Amino acid sequence: MVLQADQGLLTTSSPRVLVTTAVPVERDAVARAFAGPVREEPLPALPGAALHRLPGPPAVDLIAAGVGPALAAATTASALTSAALGGAPYDLVVSAGIAGGFAPHAPVGSLVVADEITAADLGAETGEGFLPVTELGFGTVTHRPPEALVRAIAAAVPARTGTVLTVSTVTGTAARADALRARHPGALAEAMEGFGVAEAAAAHRVPVLEVRAVSNPVGPRDRAAWRIGDALAALTEGFGKLAPVLTSWNPHEP
């Protein structure tokens, strides 16, 4: 819990949380985990975008930030900036939605909480293989969420913990899936927004999480094997169980 001064007394309140998804159907799946009406408010810094405010605790705002790391980063940064300028900054950012899971560790319908959020294809191809941008001498490729919070959420949901990869091109072949697993042995899932959201959060010095429900296996593209409805239902159920963890979490504790 966050300690706040109120007329000389210390009171407690739950942290303010921004949850970003790629598309509205994911946002709405998260919203269904919370009781009470949703209030929609425009995001002044980004015309056409809107925050969906949920009744707390915890104090949660939802936004469909767009597909891909660049748009997700831009939208998240706008929301963080607006909140900070309004005097009510967020304590935590959560990138949420559906994802592809690496079999057999993250089967369809399971939930994954990232202990590392990694940009899988940010770098350069060379004759000797792929080089991440860090080996080129600049940038970063990985953000690490708060360890204690990851453990608490994974236990409450329950969910698997591991690396969630951010890709700009969704994997569609077995060869690509094998290459990603070879470079990232701890990878459980791939999605398209987490690293962008994490970059925006890091710029504002706000902790970040990534929570994903697995809708399909990573590998050959087979739309008939996708279970988007099941993954969205798992996302709703998972957020219902992690809400108490977020309510009691103190962002000022190590």
Side-chain angles (χ1 to χ4, degrees), residues 28-52:
D28 295 343
V30 174
R32 285 193 291 273
F34 299 86
V38 177
R39 188 173 80 254
E40 184 174 334
E41 294 185 7
L43 183 61
L46 198 64
L51 289 171
H52 285 215

Side-chain angles (χ1 to χ4, degrees), residues 19-120:
V19 179
T20 74
T21 67
V23 295
V25 68
E26 294 168 316
R27 177 200 64 203
D28 295 343
V30 174
R32 285 193 291 273
F34 299 86
V38 177
R39 188 173 80 254
E40 184 174 334
E41 294 185 7
L43 183 61
L46 198 64
L51 289 171
H52 285 215
R53 297 191 183 276
L54 304 176
V60 174
D61 290 347
L62 295 168
I63 190 165
V67 175
L71 183 54
T75 304
T76 302
S78 295
L80 289 169
T81 299
S82 291
L85 292 176
Y90 292 106
D91 300 297
L92 179 70
V93 180
V94 183
S95 177
I98 63 175
F102 287 95
H105 306 293
V108 172
S110 65
L111 285 168
V112 172
V113 180
D115 56 18
E116 292 187 356
I117 302 169
T118 296

Side-chain angles (χ1 to χ4, degrees), residues 20 65 177 182 194 209 211 214 250:
T20 74
L209 285 177
V211 179
V214 177
N250 182 354

